[in-house]
Amino acid sequence: MFKQIVTVLALVLAGNFAVADLTIEINKGKDDPVPIAIVPFGWQPGVAVAEDIASIVEMDLHRSGQFAPLSRGDMLGRPRNASEVYYRDWKSLGVDYVVVGTLTQPMPGTLMANYELLDVNTQRVVLTGSESVSSEKPRYLAHTVSDKIYEKLTNIRGAFRTQLLYVSAVREGGNRTRFRLLKSDIDGANESVLFDSREPIMAPTWSPDGKKIAYVSFESSRPAIYMQDLLTGVRKQLTAFRGLNSSPAFSPDGTKMAMVLSKDGSPDVYVMDLASGSLEQVTNHFAIDTEPAWLPDGKSLIFTSDRGGKPQIYKVQLGSGAVERITFIGDYNARARVLADGLGLVLVHRSNGNFHIAVQDLKRNRVEILTSTNLDESPSVAPNASMLLYATQYDGKGVLAAVSIDGGVKYRLPSRFGDVREPAWSPFLQ
């Protein structure tokens, strides 16, 4: 039975986890990235900044694969605003765009970045911005600037201010392992522990407003679904049924949660009203129905089922209960996630005996394989649908990796100290 096999595999891999400390290794970018220069920001006298804002912006844009930042060592000057820019110097370096800026402290405890994006070829300012944050959040300020520049040049909303959830564990001697649910920026910085336990933690997921998370914990010796408030840290146990309690997924409006329960026999998909705790059974089949995900309209779900003999993706209408199969290419498709426009799926697809991440166009019924590593699993899509995150193996270790939705950009986020698994990309955050 494929779900039991997947669950056992996840737990075995979890036993080899270690404390996470994510780093970025870019291994594939676009063939024609846009040349851009991010000049180190000037600063107001007396302003002390704990982070190099321009360097973070540079890495954000580089990691997107869309841009090729100029090395600081090759810069011919360090202008702080548009009036100090000599366009001919940057044109001679083959740069298309230049970003300049200044950091100020308009009031105690506040850090402000005033920045400009300049088009070298037309010699004009194409974006002017001013962003301020608490002095304790310089990286958030940098990611905000990155978002604005990225959106201006690509017409796609930037997602550098979003965050990641993932699971790790550390051996404490003997057979004891401490599991941790971690949250970080998408570049691995600002990592924090949200929950730790001596029992496995699985399937973390975000609420649509980014204020709550849900996950499966085995702390009571059997799986149970918990919801946790990120601001207060308060946890609420949602399920404690006999058998499986797994695969939580918030509805698009955040009022309901899809989940998988086997309390009445084989695993089926249920929907819980989070205010009342009432349950509605959505599927009822002797096969394994699991891994639900909501369609954007909140009126239907997709899920994985082996009711046809092998794992495939099905769609169920919540009102009528009508079920239809939607994947037919390949003998294994699972863990599907719906793209924001509802027109495509990202899923785990088996090809030539290997598990890869693929995207399926629902209109054309066409599948494109995005990854080439082995045992790729747990895809999670960025809120702007430009990238997706997944778990894979590299040099014998479990790592997180990212790939663009067209397969043209790839990078890894390996842990320096061990394996990580179960990634979940947040929605847009305020």
Side-chain angles (χ1 to χ4, degrees), residues 220-267:
S220 60
S221 77
R222 62 183 183 184
I225 297 174
Y226 291 80
M227 184 168 63
Q228 183 168 334
D229 187 292
L230 289 177
L231 179 62
T232 65
V234 173
R235 304 170 70 232
K236 179 181 180 181
Q237 185 173 343
L238 300 180
T239 68
F241 297 108
R242 175 180 58 86
L244 284 177
N245 298 254
S246 66
S247 302
F250 286 94
S251 63
D253 65 3
T255 64
K256 299 178 180 180
M257 182 180 292
M259 60 186 65
V260 174
L261 306 173
S262 63
K263 63 186 184 67
D264 297 319
S266 61

mmCIF file of all heavy atoms in Angstrom, residues 220-267:
data_model
loop_
_atom_site.group_PDB
_atom_site.id
_atom_site.type_symbol
_atom_site.label_atom_id
_atom_site.label_comp_id
_atom_site.label_asym_id
_atom_site.label_seq_id
_atom_site.Cartn_x
_atom_site.Cartn_y
_atom_site.Cartn_z
ATOM 1 N N SER A 220 1.991 12.062 21.050
ATOM 2 C CA SER A 220 1.136 11.263 21.922
ATOM 3 C C SER A 220 1.201 9.785 21.564
ATOM 4 O O SER A 220 0.293 9.025 21.900
ATOM 5 C CB SER A 220 -0.313 11.757 21.830
ATOM 6 O OG SER A 220 -0.794 11.635 20.494
ATOM 7 N N SER A 221 2.273 9.397 20.876
ATOM 8 C CA SER A 221 2.572 8.020 20.467
ATOM 9 C C SER A 221 1.817 7.593 19.217
ATOM 10 O O SER A 221 2.072 6.522 18.674
ATOM 11 C CB SER A 221 2.306 7.022 21.603
ATOM 12 O OG SER A 221 0.919 6.770 21.768
ATOM 13 N N ARG A 222 0.883 8.404 18.735
ATOM 14 C CA ARG A 222 0.222 8.132 17.469
ATOM 15 C C ARG A 222 0.008 9.470 16.766
ATOM 16 O O ARG A 222 0.007 10.524 17.407
ATOM 17 C CB ARG A 222 -1.102 7.407 17.671
ATOM 18 C CG ARG A 222 -2.135 8.184 18.461
ATOM 19 C CD ARG A 222 -3.379 7.334 18.672
ATOM 20 N NE ARG A 222 -4.423 8.070 19.377
ATOM 21 C CZ ARG A 222 -5.571 7.525 19.758
ATOM 22 N NH1 ARG A 222 -5.807 6.244 19.498
ATOM 23 N NH2 ARG A 222 -6.479 8.246 20.388
ATOM 24 N N PRO A 223 -0.174 9.444 15.445
ATOM 25 C CA PRO A 223 -0.255 10.723 14.725
ATOM 26 C C PRO A 223 -1.488 11.527 15.110
ATOM 27 O O PRO A 223 -2.582 10.982 15.280
ATOM 28 C CB PRO A 223 -0.304 10.295 13.254
ATOM 29 C CG PRO A 223 -0.828 8.898 13.284
ATOM 30 C CD PRO A 223 -0.295 8.294 14.536
ATOM 31 N N ALA A 224 -1.302 12.831 15.250
ATOM 32 C CA ALA A 224 -2.398 13.760 15.524
ATOM 33 C C ALA A 224 -2.094 15.065 14.803
ATOM 34 O O ALA A 224 -0.930 15.427 14.596
ATOM 35 C CB ALA A 224 -2.558 13.997 17.016
ATOM 36 N N ILE A 225 -3.145 15.784 14.403
ATOM 37 C CA ILE A 225 -2.981 17.055 13.698
ATOM 38 C C ILE A 225 -3.096 18.199 14.697
ATOM 39 O O ILE A 225 -4.029 18.243 15.506
ATOM 40 C CB ILE A 225 -4.044 17.201 12.589
ATOM 41 C CG1 ILE A 225 -3.851 16.112 11.540
ATOM 42 C CG2 ILE A 225 -3.943 18.591 11.937
ATOM 43 C CD1 ILE A 225 -4.943 16.085 10.480
ATOM 44 N N TYR A 226 -2.135 19.112 14.627
ATOM 45 C CA TYR A 226 -2.106 20.281 15.500
ATOM 46 C C TYR A 226 -2.122 21.545 14.661
ATOM 47 O O TYR A 226 -1.588 21.580 13.540
ATOM 48 C CB TYR A 226 -0.845 20.280 16.373
ATOM 49 C CG TYR A 226 -0.817 19.199 17.419
ATOM 50 C CD1 TYR A 226 -0.459 17.888 17.084
ATOM 51 C CD2 TYR A 226 -1.141 19.481 18.743
ATOM 52 C CE1 TYR A 226 -0.425 16.890 18.047
ATOM 53 C CE2 TYR A 226 -1.110 18.481 19.715
ATOM 54 C CZ TYR A 226 -0.761 17.202 19.349
ATOM 55 O OH TYR A 226 -0.732 16.206 20.310
ATOM 56 N N MET A 227 -2.686 22.599 15.218
ATOM 57 C CA MET A 227 -2.636 23.930 14.621
ATOM 58 C C MET A 227 -1.936 24.848 15.601
ATOM 59 O O MET A 227 -2.168 24.768 16.812
ATOM 60 C CB MET A 227 -4.051 24.439 14.317
ATOM 61 C CG MET A 227 -4.094 25.792 13.607
ATOM 62 S SD MET A 227 -5.760 26.183 12.974
ATOM 63 C CE MET A 227 -6.694 26.261 14.523
ATOM 64 N N GLN A 228 -1.063 25.717 15.092
ATOM 65 C CA GLN A 228 -0.266 26.578 15.969
ATOM 66 C C GLN A 228 -0.318 28.016 15.480
ATOM 67 O O GLN A 228 -0.167 28.299 14.285
ATOM 68 C CB GLN A 228 1.184 26.087 16.000
ATOM 69 C CG GLN A 228 2.100 26.866 16.934
ATOM 70 C CD GLN A 228 3.433 26.162 17.142
ATOM 71 O OE1 GLN A 228 3.533 24.948 17.021
ATOM 72 N NE2 GLN A 228 4.459 26.926 17.461
ATOM 73 N N ASP A 229 -0.548 28.938 16.421
ATOM 74 C CA ASP A 229 -0.530 30.368 16.137
ATOM 75 C C ASP A 229 0.919 30.843 16.149
ATOM 76 O O ASP A 229 1.628 30.654 17.137
ATOM 77 C CB ASP A 229 -1.357 31.117 17.183
ATOM 78 C CG ASP A 229 -1.517 32.586 16.857
ATOM 79 O OD1 ASP A 229 -0.497 33.320 16.905
ATOM 80 O OD2 ASP A 229 -2.645 33.022 16.587
ATOM 81 N N LEU A 230 1.374 31.460 15.057
ATOM 82 C CA LEU A 230 2.781 31.854 14.969
ATOM 83 C C LEU A 230 3.118 33.035 15.862
ATOM 84 O O LEU A 230 4.265 33.171 16.300
ATOM 85 C CB LEU A 230 3.138 32.176 13.523
ATOM 86 C CG LEU A 230 3.200 30.972 12.578
ATOM 87 C CD1 LEU A 230 3.498 31.435 11.152
ATOM 88 C CD2 LEU A 230 4.260 29.975 13.027
ATOM 89 N N LEU A 231 2.163 33.903 16.157
ATOM 90 C CA LEU A 231 2.441 35.063 17.000
ATOM 91 C C LEU A 231 2.536 34.668 18.464
ATOM 92 O O LEU A 231 3.468 35.061 19.170
ATOM 93 C CB LEU A 231 1.359 36.127 16.802
ATOM 94 C CG LEU A 231 1.519 37.398 17.640
ATOM 95 C CD1 LEU A 231 2.823 38.110 17.275
ATOM 96 C CD2 LEU A 231 0.328 38.335 17.437
ATOM 97 N N THR A 232 1.593 33.874 18.936
ATOM 98 C CA THR A 232 1.553 33.512 20.358
ATOM 99 C C THR A 232 2.233 32.193 20.666
ATOM 100 O O THR A 232 2.592 31.939 21.818
ATOM 101 C CB THR A 232 0.095 33.433 20.833
ATOM 102 O OG1 THR A 232 -0.567 32.344 20.146
ATOM 103 C CG2 THR A 232 -0.642 34.730 20.542
ATOM 104 N N GLY A 233 2.381 31.342 19.650
ATOM 105 C CA GLY A 233 2.934 30.013 19.880
ATOM 106 C C GLY A 233 1.930 29.016 20.436
ATOM 107 O O GLY A 233 2.271 27.857 20.668
ATOM 108 N N VAL A 234 0.693 29.451 20.651
ATOM 109 C CA VAL A 234 -0.329 28.573 21.222
ATOM 110 C C VAL A 234 -0.673 27.468 20.224
ATOM 111 O O VAL A 234 -0.922 27.723 19.046
ATOM 112 C CB VAL A 234 -1.598 29.377 21.583
ATOM 113 C CG1 VAL A 234 -2.716 28.435 22.017
ATOM 114 C CG2 VAL A 234 -1.284 30.373 22.686
ATOM 115 N N ARG A 235 -0.702 26.221 20.725
ATOM 116 C CA ARG A 235 -1.008 25.056 19.906
ATOM 117 C C ARG A 235 -2.381 24.511 20.263
ATOM 118 O O ARG A 235 -2.786 24.529 21.421
ATOM 119 C CB ARG A 235 0.031 23.956 20.110
ATOM 120 C CG ARG A 235 1.450 24.382 19.848
ATOM 121 C CD ARG A 235 2.431 23.319 20.311
ATOM 122 N NE ARG A 235 2.372 22.125 19.464
ATOM 123 C CZ ARG A 235 2.212 20.892 19.924
ATOM 124 N NH1 ARG A 235 2.045 20.667 21.220
ATOM 125 N NH2 ARG A 235 2.198 19.861 19.099
ATOM 126 N N LYS A 236 -3.081 23.998 19.263
ATOM 127 C CA LYS A 236 -4.384 23.381 19.470
ATOM 128 C C LYS A 236 -4.413 22.043 18.748
ATOM 129 O O LYS A 236 -4.130 21.960 17.561
ATOM 130 C CB LYS A 236 -5.496 24.283 18.933
ATOM 131 C CG LYS A 236 -6.890 23.698 19.081
ATOM 132 C CD LYS A 236 -7.941 24.640 18.501
ATOM 133 C CE LYS A 236 -9.340 24.067 18.645
ATOM 134 N NZ LYS A 236 -10.377 24.992 18.056
ATOM 135 N N GLN A 237 -4.732 20.972 19.480
ATOM 136 C CA GLN A 237 -4.841 19.667 18.855
ATOM 137 C C GLN A 237 -6.208 19.555 18.180
ATOM 138 O O GLN A 237 -7.245 19.724 18.809
ATOM 139 C CB GLN A 237 -4.678 18.551 19.888
ATOM 140 C CG GLN A 237 -4.671 17.167 19.281
ATOM 141 C CD GLN A 237 -4.333 16.081 20.294
ATOM 142 O OE1 GLN A 237 -3.809 16.368 21.360
ATOM 143 N NE2 GLN A 237 -4.620 14.837 19.940
ATOM 144 N N LEU A 238 -6.198 19.266 16.881
ATOM 145 C CA LEU A 238 -7.430 19.199 16.118
ATOM 146 C C LEU A 238 -7.989 17.786 16.016
ATOM 147 O O LEU A 238 -9.204 17.604 15.924
ATOM 148 C CB LEU A 238 -7.216 19.752 14.708
ATOM 149 C CG LEU A 238 -6.766 21.215 14.603
ATOM 150 C CD1 LEU A 238 -6.601 21.605 13.141
ATOM 151 C CD2 LEU A 238 -7.754 22.137 15.290
ATOM 152 N N THR A 239 -7.122 16.789 15.989
ATOM 153 C CA THR A 239 -7.572 15.404 15.849
ATOM 154 C C THR A 239 -6.786 14.483 16.764
ATOM 155 O O THR A 239 -5.625 14.750 17.085
ATOM 156 C CB THR A 239 -7.419 14.892 14.407
ATOM 157 O OG1 THR A 239 -6.023 14.785 14.100
ATOM 158 C CG2 THR A 239 -8.090 15.823 13.412
ATOM 159 N N ALA A 240 -7.430 13.408 17.148
ATOM 160 C CA ALA A 240 -6.764 12.349 17.928
ATOM 161 C C ALA A 240 -7.500 11.040 17.683
ATOM 162 O O ALA A 240 -7.739 10.261 18.599
ATOM 163 C CB ALA A 240 -6.747 12.698 19.407
ATOM 164 N N PHE A 241 -7.875 10.789 16.435
ATOM 165 C CA PHE A 241 -8.645 9.598 16.105
ATOM 166 C C PHE A 241 -7.747 8.367 16.011
ATOM 167 O O PHE A 241 -6.536 8.477 15.828
ATOM 168 C CB PHE A 241 -9.379 9.800 14.777
ATOM 169 C CG PHE A 241 -10.388 10.914 14.798
ATOM 170 C CD1 PHE A 241 -10.142 12.102 14.117
ATOM 171 C CD2 PHE A 241 -11.570 10.779 15.502
ATOM 172 C CE1 PHE A 241 -11.070 13.126 14.126
ATOM 173 C CE2 PHE A 241 -12.501 11.818 15.522
ATOM 174 C CZ PHE A 241 -12.257 12.983 14.838
ATOM 175 N N ARG A 242 -8.356 7.236 16.123
ATOM 176 C CA ARG A 242 -7.639 5.974 15.934
ATOM 177 C C ARG A 242 -7.150 5.906 14.486
ATOM 178 O O ARG A 242 -7.841 6.304 13.560
ATOM 179 C CB ARG A 242 -8.589 4.806 16.241
ATOM 180 C CG ARG A 242 -8.010 3.426 15.965
ATOM 181 C CD ARG A 242 -9.032 2.357 16.302
ATOM 182 N NE ARG A 242 -10.258 2.551 15.523
ATOM 183 C CZ ARG A 242 -10.438 2.078 14.296
ATOM 184 N NH1 ARG A 242 -9.459 1.421 13.685
ATOM 185 N NH2 ARG A 242 -11.593 2.282 13.675
ATOM 186 N N GLY A 243 -5.954 5.394 14.275
ATOM 187 C CA GLY A 243 -5.405 5.246 12.931
ATOM 188 C C GLY A 243 -4.740 6.510 12.429
ATOM 189 O O GLY A 243 -4.200 7.311 13.205
ATOM 190 N N LEU A 244 -4.791 6.708 11.133
ATOM 191 C CA LEU A 244 -4.115 7.849 10.510
ATOM 192 C C LEU A 244 -4.821 9.167 10.803
ATOM 193 O O LEU A 244 -6.047 9.260 10.763
ATOM 194 C CB LEU A 244 -4.049 7.659 8.995
ATOM 195 C CG LEU A 244 -3.035 6.666 8.428
ATOM 196 C CD1 LEU A 244 -3.190 6.578 6.919
ATOM 197 C CD2 LEU A 244 -1.609 7.086 8.785
ATOM 198 N N ASN A 245 -4.027 10.192 11.097
ATOM 199 C CA ASN A 245 -4.462 11.586 11.161
ATOM 200 C C ASN A 245 -3.377 12.350 10.412
ATOM 201 O O ASN A 245 -2.299 12.594 10.964
ATOM 202 C CB ASN A 245 -4.553 12.086 12.598
ATOM 203 C CG ASN A 245 -5.569 11.341 13.445
ATOM 204 O OD1 ASN A 245 -6.635 11.840 13.747
ATOM 205 N ND2 ASN A 245 -5.236 10.105 13.849
ATOM 206 N N SER A 246 -3.611 12.711 9.174
ATOM 207 C CA SER A 246 -2.494 13.210 8.363
ATOM 208 C C SER A 246 -2.948 14.222 7.312
ATOM 209 O O SER A 246 -4.139 14.498 7.143
ATOM 210 C CB SER A 246 -1.794 12.039 7.665
ATOM 211 O OG SER A 246 -2.647 11.432 6.710
ATOM 212 N N SER A 247 -1.935 14.772 6.626
ATOM 213 C CA SER A 247 -2.105 15.629 5.444
ATOM 214 C C SER A 247 -3.032 16.824 5.651
ATOM 215 O O SER A 247 -3.957 17.055 4.872
ATOM 216 C CB SER A 247 -2.621 14.791 4.262
ATOM 217 O OG SER A 247 -1.753 13.731 3.972
ATOM 218 N N PRO A 248 -2.804 17.658 6.668
ATOM 219 C CA PRO A 248 -3.662 18.839 6.842
ATOM 220 C C PRO A 248 -3.459 19.842 5.716
ATOM 221 O O PRO A 248 -2.353 20.023 5.211
ATOM 222 C CB PRO A 248 -3.190 19.413 8.184
ATOM 223 C CG PRO A 248 -1.765 18.963 8.302
ATOM 224 C CD PRO A 248 -1.731 17.598 7.678
ATOM 225 N N ALA A 249 -4.561 20.512 5.319
ATOM 226 C CA ALA A 249 -4.492 21.528 4.269
ATOM 227 C C ALA A 249 -5.581 22.556 4.508
ATOM 228 O O ALA A 249 -6.771 22.229 4.458
ATOM 229 C CB ALA A 249 -4.659 20.892 2.890
ATOM 230 N N PHE A 250 -5.190 23.802 4.792
ATOM 231 C CA PHE A 250 -6.154 24.882 5.022
ATOM 232 C C PHE A 250 -6.909 25.201 3.730
ATOM 233 O O PHE A 250 -6.332 25.190 2.636
ATOM 234 C CB PHE A 250 -5.435 26.152 5.474
ATOM 235 C CG PHE A 250 -4.939 26.123 6.887
ATOM 236 C CD1 PHE A 250 -3.636 25.723 7.173
ATOM 237 C CD2 PHE A 250 -5.756 26.521 7.944
ATOM 238 C CE1 PHE A 250 -3.163 25.718 8.483
ATOM 239 C CE2 PHE A 250 -5.295 26.519 9.246
ATOM 240 C CZ PHE A 250 -3.996 26.111 9.518
ATOM 241 N N SER A 251 -8.189 25.528 3.869
ATOM 242 C CA SER A 251 -8.977 25.989 2.723
ATOM 243 C C SER A 251 -8.507 27.386 2.318
ATOM 244 O O SER A 251 -7.870 28.101 3.113
ATOM 245 C CB SER A 251 -10.463 26.017 3.072
ATOM 246 O OG SER A 251 -10.717 26.937 4.120
ATOM 247 N N PRO A 252 -8.805 27.811 1.093
ATOM 248 C CA PRO A 252 -8.346 29.135 0.637
ATOM 249 C C PRO A 252 -8.810 30.284 1.514
ATOM 250 O O PRO A 252 -8.119 31.309 1.604
ATOM 251 C CB PRO A 252 -8.939 29.233 -0.775
ATOM 252 C CG PRO A 252 -9.036 27.818 -1.240
ATOM 253 C CD PRO A 252 -9.411 27.039 -0.014
ATOM 254 N N ASP A 253 -9.974 30.168 2.179
ATOM 255 C CA ASP A 253 -10.427 31.244 3.068
ATOM 256 C C ASP A 253 -10.016 31.027 4.520
ATOM 257 O O ASP A 253 -10.327 31.846 5.396
ATOM 258 C CB ASP A 253 -11.942 31.419 2.968
ATOM 259 C CG ASP A 253 -12.717 30.193 3.463
ATOM 260 O OD1 ASP A 253 -12.093 29.215 3.938
ATOM 261 O OD2 ASP A 253 -13.960 30.211 3.366
ATOM 262 N N GLY A 254 -9.304 29.933 4.799
ATOM 263 C CA GLY A 254 -8.777 29.684 6.134
ATOM 264 C C GLY A 254 -9.783 29.197 7.149
ATOM 265 O O GLY A 254 -9.430 29.009 8.313
ATOM 266 N N THR A 255 -11.025 28.945 6.769
ATOM 267 C CA THR A 255 -12.057 28.549 7.742
ATOM 268 C C THR A 255 -12.179 27.039 7.897
ATOM 269 O O THR A 255 -12.791 26.566 8.856
ATOM 270 C CB THR A 255 -13.432 29.098 7.328
ATOM 271 O OG1 THR A 255 -13.833 28.509 6.082
ATOM 272 C CG2 THR A 255 -13.382 30.614 7.191
ATOM 273 N N LYS A 256 -11.615 26.288 6.952
ATOM 274 C CA LYS A 256 -11.741 24.839 6.989
ATOM 275 C C LYS A 256 -10.383 24.191 6.777
ATOM 276 O O LYS A 256 -9.427 24.840 6.362
ATOM 277 C CB LYS A 256 -12.723 24.357 5.917
ATOM 278 C CG LYS A 256 -14.134 24.895 6.093
ATOM 279 C CD LYS A 256 -15.044 24.419 4.977
ATOM 280 C CE LYS A 256 -16.463 24.971 5.155
ATOM 281 N NZ LYS A 256 -17.367 24.513 4.064
ATOM 282 N N MET A 257 -10.321 22.911 7.071
ATOM 283 C CA MET A 257 -9.089 22.168 6.845
ATOM 284 C C MET A 257 -9.415 20.792 6.291
ATOM 285 O O MET A 257 -10.207 20.050 6.875
ATOM 286 C CB MET A 257 -8.288 22.021 8.139
ATOM 287 C CG MET A 257 -6.952 21.297 7.949
ATOM 288 S SD MET A 257 -6.043 21.140 9.506
ATOM 289 C CE MET A 257 -5.630 22.872 9.811
ATOM 290 N N ALA A 258 -8.809 20.476 5.145
ATOM 291 C CA ALA A 258 -8.887 19.115 4.623
ATOM 292 C C ALA A 258 -7.842 18.276 5.329
ATOM 293 O O ALA A 258 -6.788 18.777 5.736
ATOM 294 C CB ALA A 258 -8.662 19.110 3.117
ATOM 295 N N MET A 259 -8.129 16.991 5.487
ATOM 296 C CA MET A 259 -7.218 16.091 6.186
ATOM 297 C C MET A 259 -7.534 14.659 5.795
ATOM 298 O O MET A 259 -8.563 14.384 5.156
ATOM 299 C CB MET A 259 -7.338 16.271 7.696
ATOM 300 C CG MET A 259 -8.718 15.991 8.231
ATOM 301 S SD MET A 259 -8.883 16.373 10.001
ATOM 302 C CE MET A 259 -8.648 18.152 10.033
ATOM 303 N N VAL A 260 -6.659 13.751 6.184
ATOM 304 C CA VAL A 260 -6.869 12.331 5.914
ATOM 305 C C VAL A 260 -7.006 11.596 7.240
ATOM 306 O O VAL A 260 -6.151 11.731 8.125
ATOM 307 C CB VAL A 260 -5.714 11.743 5.091
ATOM 308 C CG1 VAL A 260 -5.863 10.231 4.944
ATOM 309 C CG2 VAL A 260 -5.660 12.394 3.719
ATOM 310 N N LEU A 261 -8.093 10.851 7.386
ATOM 311 C CA LEU A 261 -8.366 10.072 8.585
ATOM 312 C C LEU A 261 -8.712 8.643 8.183
ATOM 313 O O LEU A 261 -9.334 8.417 7.139
ATOM 314 C CB LEU A 261 -9.539 10.670 9.372
ATOM 315 C CG LEU A 261 -9.448 12.154 9.749
ATOM 316 C CD1 LEU A 261 -10.763 12.619 10.365
ATOM 317 C CD2 LEU A 261 -8.293 12.399 10.714
ATOM 318 N N SER A 262 -8.313 7.685 9.027
ATOM 319 C CA SER A 262 -8.682 6.286 8.785
ATOM 320 C C SER A 262 -9.511 5.745 9.942
ATOM 321 O O SER A 262 -9.534 4.545 10.185
ATOM 322 C CB SER A 262 -7.427 5.434 8.576
ATOM 323 O OG SER A 262 -6.617 5.424 9.749
ATOM 324 N N LYS A 263 -10.173 6.644 10.648
ATOM 325 C CA LYS A 263 -10.912 6.247 11.847
ATOM 326 C C LYS A 263 -12.051 5.270 11.555
ATOM 327 O O LYS A 263 -12.470 4.509 12.436
ATOM 328 C CB LYS A 263 -11.466 7.485 12.551
ATOM 329 C CG LYS A 263 -12.491 8.291 11.747
ATOM 330 C CD LYS A 263 -12.855 9.581 12.479
ATOM 331 C CE LYS A 263 -13.947 10.353 11.748
ATOM 332 N NZ LYS A 263 -15.233 9.631 11.770
ATOM 333 N N ASP A 264 -12.534 5.256 10.326
ATOM 334 C CA ASP A 264 -13.645 4.370 9.967
ATOM 335 C C ASP A 264 -13.217 3.244 9.042
ATOM 336 O O ASP A 264 -14.059 2.582 8.427
ATOM 337 C CB ASP A 264 -14.769 5.179 9.311
ATOM 338 C CG ASP A 264 -15.355 6.216 10.255
ATOM 339 O OD1 ASP A 264 -15.545 5.890 11.441
ATOM 340 O OD2 ASP A 264 -15.602 7.352 9.811
ATOM 341 N N GLY A 265 -11.912 3.030 8.924
ATOM 342 C CA GLY A 265 -11.432 1.956 8.054
ATOM 343 C C GLY A 265 -10.264 2.418 7.217
ATOM 344 O O GLY A 265 -9.217 2.816 7.744
ATOM 345 N N SER A 266 -10.409 2.401 5.888
ATOM 346 C CA SER A 266 -9.328 2.836 5.014
ATOM 347 C C SER A 266 -9.208 4.357 5.043
ATOM 348 O O SER A 266 -10.170 5.058 5.378
ATOM 349 C CB SER A 266 -9.598 2.360 3.582
ATOM 350 O OG SER A 266 -10.809 2.908 3.103
ATOM 351 N N PRO A 267 -8.041 4.887 4.701
ATOM 352 C CA PRO A 267 -7.847 6.340 4.720
ATOM 353 C C PRO A 267 -8.751 7.051 3.720
ATOM 354 O O PRO A 267 -8.814 6.676 2.544
ATOM 355 C CB PRO A 267 -6.371 6.504 4.339
ATOM 356 C CG PRO A 267 -5.735 5.193 4.677
ATOM 357 C CD PRO A 267 -6.780 4.167 4.403
#
